Amino acid sequence: MSFQQDHYDAVVVGAGPNGLAAAITLGRKFKSVLLVEARATVGGGVRSAQLTLPGFIHDVCSAVHPLAVSSPFFRQLELHRYGLEWIQPEIPLAHPFENGEALCLNRSLEATADVLGPDGKAYRDLLQPFVENHERLLSDVLKPLSIPEHPYLMARFGLKAIRSAKNLAEAKFQSARTRALFAGLAAHAMIPLDRTATAAFGILLAVLAHGVGWPIVRGGSQGLANALADCFRDGGGEVLTGITIGSLGDLPKADHYFFDVTPRQLLNIGGLDLSENYRKRLSCFRYGPGVCKVDWALSGPIPWKAETCRKAGTVHLGGSFEEIDASIREAHAGRKCDSPYVVLTQQSLFDPSRAPGSGHTAWAYCHVPHGSAEDVTELIENRIEHYAPGFRELILAKSSLSAAAMEQYNPNYVGGDINGGLQDLFQLYSRPVLSFFPYRTSKRNIYICSSSTPPGGGVHGLCGYYAAKGL
Ligand SMILES: Cc1cc2nc3c(=O)[nH]c(=O)nc-3n(C[C@H](O)[C@H](O)[C@H](O)COP(=O)(O)OP(=O)(O)OC[C@H]3O[C@@H](n4cnc5c(N)ncnc54)[C@H](O)[C@@H]3O)c2cc1C
């Protein structure tokens, strides 16, 4: 391998959003920073590709970016200067029901509360203080465990967020439909909804919908990764793709090394000289269920029974609170669920550049047992067909990735876990090990900066940013 220099101030391995964020932050501190990526393109979980037919652009992993648009770090970077353009779907989220009706999260908190009938007041009371202060709230929530800058707001949030989604939904909402809407949000935690702190995910995703929207990237998620890489190069950084690092010896000499990988991968990288005690602690890191993901090229828009779903960027297909919880529970316990909870996005409705002519794209995943090699496309399509009869007739081509295939595509998705490790209350703040500065390994100049560190999964770059900032 030939590198431009024999020695760098810092080297980052892995060009996912966290590796890119670490590289940009290091580039502001040091003269020479190298970013090395195994695949041919940068982006990690933030890539787009023509997975089905020519002209159909699909988001391979992440599609909807409330965390990126609100990330205090990404906001500093003014990524529009590097071509990034956000598109806000008319409605962030719809949740259809059996009878052909749907609930939705509008951008406006008021408009959302208005359609929730008897639950409108409870919904408004729950969310208003956080929506009004969303920037402050996010700056405290999306960081490693530390003294909050806004203690009163955080205490108020913490008292609600610490509850289980089940407990909070039952206590606050009378209608089964409002509870189902909340379950669909909280289910992004990927842990059973009666577990402590699952309410946090439901509240945060609703706050994001009202505070900043759930936008997509014009032209595909790759646009965000490319903008980050251009921002890094603009600051003098060097990017090398197509190089898989198996050992420290594969890299040039550097003062600092940052790894955008999860604990299991770090343990397999040779020459790091990590202490036995640290290796033991890293090996206790727990991974969660996987996902099976499908992309479709369609001849037209999805024919939803519920009109609202035709205006939504994201649609949660899972029916009632109990059905959604059962789906998560099965995946968590290592069992297949025959009617899984499905997260679906329909980018081309809002971004015509995603499909040629009158064509459309759709993206969906459901939770499956960790490491499952089973392709459950049929089950996902059954779910969609149920709420949108005639969907199957529109399919021109499709591409599926089982949880096992997801890990082959990107080794950071261990067993298909898209969050870089289980996000239960303990591991949310003790990732990858319990420590005051969890990014530093036992070796003074070696750091881990992937979503297996705080604040965890999602595209926000904050794991990379805090790792590099705290150096
Ligand atoms: C199907 C799916 C849907 C998702 N949807 C969303 C969504 O809509 N919104 C959202 O916010 N998040 C979503 N996510 C989660 C999001 O993609 C991840 O949380 C995020 O990408 C994690 O970023 P990262 O930088 O930690 O790791 P990654 O993005 O996984 O990047 C790690 C990079 O390191 C490289 N690498 C690994 N090992 C080596 C090595 N040894 N040598 C060189 N390079 C290496 C990999 O090739 C990869 O490019 C989704 C994920 C999946 C899979």
Side-chain angles (χ1 to χ4, degrees):
M1 272 170 255
S2 68
F3 303 101
Q4 278 179 19
Q5 304 181 28
D6 296 336
H7 182 278
Y8 289 82
D9 291 323
V11 171
V12 180
V13 175
N18 286 313
L20 285 157
I24 294 168
T25 309
L26 292 164
R28 290 168 164 185
K29 284 188 178 186
F30 300 121
K31 264 198 179 143
S32 58
V33 181
L34 171 69
L35 174 61
V36 182
E37 163 58 40
R39 293 189 75 89
T41 55
V42 297
V46 189
R47 291 193 178 102
S48 319
Q50 299 194 33
L51 297 175
T52 55
L53 298 173
F56 286 84
I57 313 284
H58 303 279
D59 294 329
V60 186
C61 299
S62 77
V64 182
H65 293 110
L67 290 168
V69 77
S70 62
S71 161
F73 176 62
F74 286 172
R75 284 161 64 120
Q76 291 171 21
L77 303 178
E78 301 185 351
L79 293 171
H80 59 272
R81 294 187 293 135
Y82 303 97
L84 174 66
E85 204 181 322
W86 295 116
I87 296 178
Q88 293 281 2
E90 189 176 340
I91 293 174
L93 169 73
H95 186 125
F97 297 100
E98 292 299 317
N99 62 358
E101 293 177 2
L103 280 183
C104 68
L105 288 190
N106 274 291
R107 284 301 306 279
S108 151
L109 173 65
E110 284 304 317
T112 306
D114 284 351
V115 296
L116 294 180
D119 288 327
K121 182 176 178 319
Y123 184 82
R124 196 182 296 107
D125 290 350
L126 174 67
L127 293 168
Q128 196 158 27
F130 308 130
V131 173
E132 281 172 0
N133 297 291
H134 64 268
E135 282 186 22
R136 284 185 207 155
L137 179 72
L138 293 168
S139 71
D140 269 339
V141 170
L142 298 177
K143 69 175 190 185
L145 200 56
S146 52
I147 296 168
E149 279 173 45
H150 312 284
Y152 177 69
L153 184 66
M154 273 300 278
R156 206 167 170 183
F157 173 73
L159 284 173
K160 303 204 162 74
I162 193 76
R163 297 168 76 168
S164 74
K166 184 170 190 288
N167 175 280
L168 188 83
E170 284 176 358
K172 296 277 172 199
F173 306 128
Q174 297 171 29
S175 151
R177 289 220 223 164
T178 315
R179 290 178 189 167
L181 178 71
F182 191 71
L185 295 168
H188 285 261
M190 291 178 71
I191 47 180
L193 301 181
D194 60 355
R195 299 283 173 91
T196 310
T198 40
F201 289 81
I203 297 172
L204 266 185
L205 283 170
V207 167
L208 287 164
H210 302 307
V212 298
W214 287 13
I216 58 171
V217 178
R218 187 180 297 284
S221 296
Q222 187 75 50
L224 170 58
N226 291 349
L228 288 166
D230 287 347
C231 176
F232 172 56
R233 286 191 195 95
D234 210 18
E238 182 187 335
V239 181
L240 284 180
T241 55
I243 301 175
T244 300
I245 302 304
S247 155
L248 201 64
D250 297 338
L251 293 168
K253 295 264 176 287
D255 292 341
H256 308 282
Y257 296 95
F258 283 73
F259 287 87
D260 181 7
V261 302
T262 78
R264 195 174 298 175
Q265 295 150 270
L266 195 73
L267 285 168
N268 284 329
I269 289 179
L272 297 185
D273 197 22
L274 303 174
S275 73
E276 260 323 299
N277 179 39
Y278 184 73
R279 291 181 69 85
K280 214 186 222 168
R281 290 167 72 204
L282 267 195
S283 63
C284 294
F285 188 79
R286 293 165 298 141
Y287 292 89
V291 303
C292 177
K293 151 99 188 322
V294 191
D295 289 281
W296 295 269
L298 303 172
S299 59
I302 302 177
W304 300 108
K305 279 195 263 184
E307 189 60 32
T308 312
C309 294
R310 300 176 186 219
K311 300 175 192 161
T314 303
V315 187
H316 283 166
L317 305 170
S320 67
F321 189 106
E322 290 71 24
E323 277 180 274
I324 294 171
D325 190 29
S327 166
I328 305 289
R329 209 168 275 283
E330 291 295 278
H332 198 74
R335 292 187 297 263
K336 179 174 143 194
C337 175
D338 287 335
S339 50
Y341 158 69
V342 170
V343 178
L344 180 143
T345 66
Q346 34 189 10
Q347 291 88 326
S348 59
L349 282 184
F350 312 95
D351 179 3
S353 74
R354 302 292 187 104
S358 54
H360 278 274
T361 60
W363 166 117
Y365 70 78
C366 73
H367 304 148
V368 294
H370 181 90
S372 168
E374 194 172 349
D375 177 354
V376 297
T377 301
E378 178 81 14
L379 299 179
I380 294 179
E381 288 181 354
N382 288 346
R383 262 287 187 203
I384 304 172
E385 188 73 27
H386 186 75
Y387 294 103
F391 167 75
R392 278 201 170 94
E393 287 156 35
L394 302 176
I395 298 173
L396 301 172
K398 60 182 135 181
S399 156
S400 310
L401 280 177
S402 68
M406 190 61 83
E407 181 173 352
Q408 272 165 20
Y409 170 73
N410 179 348
N412 280 39
Y413 297 137
V414 177
D417 177 346
I418 67 176
N419 288 321
L422 200 67
Q423 303 208 119
D424 59 11
L425 181 61
F426 179 70
Q427 202 163 264
L428 207 50
Y429 288 102
S430 68
R431 46 204 305 126
V433 296
L434 198 56
S435 162
F436 282 117
F437 188 59
Y439 309 100
R440 184 176 287 126
T441 67
S442 59
K443 190 87 182 162
R444 189 190 52 81
N445 65 341
I446 294 178
Y447 299 80
I448 177 167
C449 66
S450 70
S451 60
S452 304
T453 64
V459 177
H460 41 63
L462 292 166
C463 310
Y465 168 68
Y466 281 116
K469 186 174 170 241
L471 170 74

